[in-house]
Amino acid sequence: MKVTSAEFIKSAVDLFYYPDDSLPEVAFVGRSNVGKSSLINTLVNRKRLAKTSNTPGRTQLVNFFMINKSLSFVDLPGYGYAKVPVSVKRGWKAMVEGYLEGRENLRLVVMILDIRREPSGNDDQLIQWLRSNNIKIVFVLTKVDKFSRGQVNISRRKIGEHLGVSYDELVSFSAKTRYGKDELWRVIEGACSPDS
Ligand code: GDP
């Protein structure tokens, strides 16, 4: 997809403040520091549309962006940062599940995982929850530039087994080299097309 415009729309704490529109929507989830902001910025060719941060766990809002005036990207707060107090973790769950449950125009969740790690307990819980709510997921394994091609293949296979998906259902990605960008856009466009 050729991105001609990408605008920040708003940040919201709950349903009441979500933008009231019916554009097809794609949500991005992942543990803190996994590379979610970098992935969004790479997709839309911008340096700082989604805020990258060296303070994991900082973003605790649902951020909405409009892309090409034809679809929305939603940056959901990252999870799994150990230093966050329990009350904040509970708030996260309510906010993220509230969004995911209530959003009729949601077409796809992009679940971002680090190619170098087994999915965590938090990742597994969210995946299980998404599956039980019949929400379509694409799994993206990011930071592949940190691995050799052989290591990428081994890890992809392992993570695929862990998730119960085939090797081909995973998208390898790098925000550094932009590897996988076109493939991920194809998945997003497919999920957002009117007849999908
Ligand atoms: P977020 O907390 O999930 O939004 O993660 P960020 O996008 O802020 O990235 C966290 C850190 O990982 C930053 O230091 C990024 O520069 C780095 N990073 C993100 N994606 C990649 C990638 O594909 N390759 C490499 N080498 N580093 C990455």
Side-chain angles (χ1 to χ4, degrees):
M1 153 109 61
K2 186 167 160 24
V3 176
T4 51
S5 69
E7 307 158 50
F8 171 71
I9 303 297
K10 70 188 314 195
S11 295
V13 271
D14 62 33
L15 270 176
F16 185 73
Y17 301 99
Y18 294 165
D20 178 22
D21 61 40
S22 53
L23 293 177
E25 207 154 86
V26 179
F28 296 80
V29 295
R31 66 194 301 281
S32 297
N33 227 29
V34 72
K36 178 162 55 66
S37 318
S38 305
L39 178 142
I40 295 173
N41 290 332
T42 301
L43 282 177
V44 300
N45 307 317
R46 296 276 290 271
K47 282 218 166 74
R48 269 180 284 276
L49 184 70
K51 300 270 185 307
T52 52
S53 149
N54 288 322
T55 318
R58 200 192 53 167
T59 331
Q60 288 294 339
L61 291 167
V62 179
N63 294 308
F64 292 84
F65 304 93
M66 188 167 24
I67 315 300
N68 287 359
K69 309 219 181 293
S70 62
L71 76 152
S72 301
F73 275 6
V74 182
D75 184 6
L76 291 168
Y79 50 84
Y81 184 49
K83 286 188 189 157
V84 170
V86 175
S87 59
V88 174
K89 284 182 188 156
R90 280 203 203 106
W92 178 90
K93 200 166 150 61
M95 192 186 312
V96 170
E97 293 185 356
Y99 164 79
L100 292 166
E101 252 172 356
R103 205 64 183 158
E104 277 183 17
N105 47 334
L106 178 66
R107 299 293 189 85
L108 178 70
V109 168
V110 178
M111 169 102 206
I112 304 148
L113 299 163
D114 189 319
I115 185 89
R116 300 166 300 172
R117 290 165 166 253
E118 276 275 302
S120 68
N122 285 316
D123 294 323
D124 288 335
Q125 274 173 27
L126 180 58
I127 294 162
Q128 207 176 10
W129 188 91
L130 290 165
R131 284 176 169 156
S132 66
N133 282 273
N134 291 321
I135 295 171
K136 186 169 176 176
I137 318 171
V138 58
F139 296 100
V140 177
L141 308 182
T142 195
K143 305 194 185 180
V144 292
D145 58 275
K146 299 233 187 206
F147 263 179
S148 69
R149 187 181 292 211
Q151 286 172 311
V152 166
N153 285 336
I154 292 168
S155 194
R156 230 178 118 125
R157 220 169 278 288
K158 240 195 226 160
I159 296 174
E161 270 170 29
H162 179 115
L163 300 172
V165 298
S166 71
Y167 186 90
D168 303 336
E169 290 172 89
L170 302 168
V171 176
S172 295
F173 190 89
S174 165
K176 197 167 171 193
T177 65
R178 299 173 176 263
Y179 183 87
K181 180 181 161 190
D182 292 344
E183 187 184 350
L184 182 53
W185 261 122
R186 276 194 293 276
V187 176
I188 292 172
E189 285 182 281
C192 291
S193 77
D195 43 43
S196 85

